[in-house]
Amino acid sequence: MELRFLGGASEIGSLGLVIRDQGRTVLCDYGMTPTDPPAYPIPAPTNVDLAVLSHAHLDHSGMTPLLSRLPKARLAATPVTLAVADLLTRDALKVARLNGYQPAYSPHDIAGLHAQAVAVERHGTFRHHGIEIEFTPAGHIPGASMMLYRGERDVLFTGDLQTHATHLVGAAEPLECDVLVMESTYAGREHPDRRETERRFRDRVAATVERGGKVIVPAFAVGRAQEVLMTLAASGFETYLDGMARAVNSVYLSAPEYLADGKRFRRALEGVHVVEHPGDRKRALREADVIVTTGGMLDGGPVLYYIGELYPDANSSIFLTGYQVEGSNGRQLMDTGTLTVDETVVRPACEVEKFDFSAHAGHTDLVQFARATRARTVVLMHGDQREALRDDLAPHADVVVPANGEAFTV
Ligand SMILES: [Zn+2]
């Protein structure tokens, strides 16, 4: 069978993998890179029979509305992934317009995709035109799935993978396969101990509150904001939530079976004040100890309002919780200690610290996972340091490190 990446092989973004096998064409994920300007993958072939979506993050889902222009194609994903991808692709349209870019698709495409979308439950099997694909949880975020394609050879596509349980979701379990197509975000890097990170995070929040400051926690709307809220639950801080995470929470509350503990998630949210209107933001600034808000990389969203108010306050803190892509305001803060607020570069007086709440497996986790699948062929994708993994996996499997656009057989 032949595999080809449309994008996302050697970078974190714009992922798309085309599998051609026995006259069928399957597309795994179809994402974009939400940078300024956005980046896109090679266009999908027009003869796609079936597309499967691992999870809702835009680097995996951002181009799926274009599939509505291929009326024969079906898009299979878990119901949680479909609902959250709908929110994110609509938001991406809004962001494109705000930033003055021609959007890659229209609201009509997003609406059209609904007719082609098929919801597959976790642990479900989807069959379409003789193609059989088994879905199994990938950890990472609620609804995230790995997909096991059963064909000439069994191919396991991981999407994004987390092999440790978090507050929000359980861990991914390896499945035996012939060919493993595995994400490599953390190739060559390990995570610090999560419980230790959480303890330090709560301690630093407490220290800020004790000296009379407030904590701004910029967090991605899908997965990260919820993980942070669960980490803070029961610690007694006045916590406010602002931005798109509110809508994502509603999806998660409606599908508790996709969470590690739906009741605990619901309880964690009960103690959180939700900013419903921009007018509530002043109240949040007055009364909050902690404000969890989008955008996670400080490039847009309500976080800029809060930072604009609090950056000169030496008692307050900005605690970053996610990956800060090159060129983002958050990366600028980490690298130079400066921020761009209202088009002016400023040096915040408040405390700035980064905490590793990653939803991806670390290097050793990836090696163990790959070995447990007993795959004879491992294809590494979604990473910019894949060679580090290749070296550790090579004694046990044929390791392929493909380039975008290059077709290869497995
Ligand atoms: Zn992801």
Side-chain angles (χ1 to χ4, degrees):
M1 66 173 69
E2 185 193 274
L3 271 52
R4 183 168 73 101
F5 280 93
L6 304 175
S10 55
E11 77 276 19
I12 296 155
S14 301
L15 185 64
L17 170 67
V18 177
I19 301 176
R20 289 187 200 278
D21 180 37
Q22 302 168 74
R24 305 156 184 152
T25 302
V26 176
L27 175 63
C28 301
D29 287 355
Y30 195 21
M32 49 90 78
T33 310
T35 40
D36 186 4
Y40 302 116
I42 298 165
T46 52
N47 62 345
V48 168
D49 298 295
L50 173 67
V52 286
L53 177 55
S54 65
H55 68 289
H57 284 148
L58 281 174
D59 56 329
H60 298 254
S61 74
M63 300 301 270
T64 52
L66 286 178
L67 297 171
S68 69
R69 300 179 190 178
L70 311 176
K72 268 188 14 211
R74 290 287 167 272
L75 173 71
T78 62
V80 169
T81 293
L82 291 173
V84 178
D86 187 72
L87 288 173
L88 289 183
T89 48
R90 285 178 199 280
D91 187 64
L93 267 186
K94 211 168 69 186
V95 171
R97 283 203 203 94
L98 276 174
N99 292 343
Y101 300 117
Q102 178 69 36
Y105 46 82
S106 69
H108 184 74
D109 292 321
I110 298 178
L113 191 61
H114 287 222
Q116 291 160 254
V118 184
V120 182
E121 294 298 336
R122 57 208 293 273
H123 300 294
T125 298
F126 182 66
R127 293 182 185 84
H128 178 70
H129 287 246
I131 301 167
E132 185 178 314
I133 296 188
E134 220 175 289
F135 280 59
T136 188
H140 189 53
I141 60 171
S145 287
M146 301 186 281
M147 275 96 54
L148 182 63
Y149 167 86
R150 295 204 181 276
E152 189 192 320
R153 300 181 78 191
D154 289 350
V155 180
L156 181 64
F157 176 83
T158 62
D160 286 351
L161 182 66
Q162 170 60 290
T163 58
H164 293 282
T166 60
H167 291 298
L168 199 55
V169 275
E173 298 289 342
L175 287 183
E176 287 195 15
C177 58
D178 301 314
V179 179
L180 171 66
V181 182
M182 186 170 73
E183 68 118 319
S184 318
T185 314
Y186 276 84
R189 290 181 293 158
E190 306 287 355
H191 298 297
D193 179 74
R194 178 59 71 90
R195 296 285 165 256
E196 190 52 48
T197 300
E198 291 179 358
R199 226 180 346 262
R200 195 166 57 84
F201 178 70
R202 283 189 295 259
D203 286 351
R204 299 309 303 153
V205 170
T208 303
V209 173
E210 270 161 33
R211 65 179 182 241
K214 298 181 185 303
V215 182
I216 303 172
V217 184
F220 306 127
V222 181
R224 195 60 44 86
Q226 293 79 17
E227 188 69 24
V228 168
L229 293 176
M230 293 188 80
T231 302
L232 289 171
S235 44
F237 303 117
E238 286 294 313
T239 303
Y240 279 68
L241 175 69
D242 200 349
M244 205 177 42
R246 297 166 302 184
V248 176
N249 286 352
S250 304
V251 176
Y252 291 175
L253 285 169
S254 70
E257 67 276 23
Y258 284 85
L259 307 176
D261 187 338
K263 282 193 187 121
R264 203 158 75 77
F265 180 61
R266 184 176 288 277
R267 272 203 307 276
L269 292 188
E270 277 166 8
V272 174
H273 305 275
V274 175
V275 175
E276 307 272 5
H277 312 286
D280 293 344
R281 287 181 185 148
K282 283 202 166 53
R283 186 163 56 86
L285 269 179
R286 238 184 1 255
E287 294 172 10
D289 296 326
V290 187
I291 302 167
V292 179
T293 178
T294 49
M297 296 196 236
L298 318 185
D299 280 330
V303 70
L304 293 177
Y305 166 76
Y306 297 110
I307 284 184
E309 297 291 321
L310 289 178
Y311 80 83
D313 177 19
N315 288 332
S316 289
S317 302
I318 300 171
F319 290 159
L320 300 168
T321 58
Y323 178 70
Q324 305 297 316
V325 77
E326 201 73 53
S328 66
N329 209 9
R331 174 62 78 93
Q332 179 188 327
L333 179 61
M334 285 171 56
D335 291 350
T336 67
T338 66
L339 266 175
T340 304
V341 179
D342 291 335
E343 296 177 12
T344 308
V345 177
V346 299
R347 187 170 288 276
C350 63
E351 179 183 338
V352 176
E353 197 167 341
K354 184 164 186 286
F355 295 85
D356 183 338
F357 279 96
S358 174
H360 292 267
H363 179 91
T364 303
D365 306 323
L366 290 169
V367 172
Q368 285 170 351
F369 181 89
R371 292 193 61 186
T373 65
R374 297 171 182 269
R376 303 276 283 276
T377 305
V378 179
V379 179
L380 297 176
M381 62 165 184
H382 199 279
D384 46 22
Q385 296 178 50
R386 293 174 294 167
E387 294 67 24
L389 263 181
R390 179 183 56 195
D391 296 344
D392 280 355
L393 293 173
H396 312 284
D398 292 330
V399 183
V400 187
V401 183
N404 292 332
E406 155 196 291
F408 56 100
T409 51
V410 292

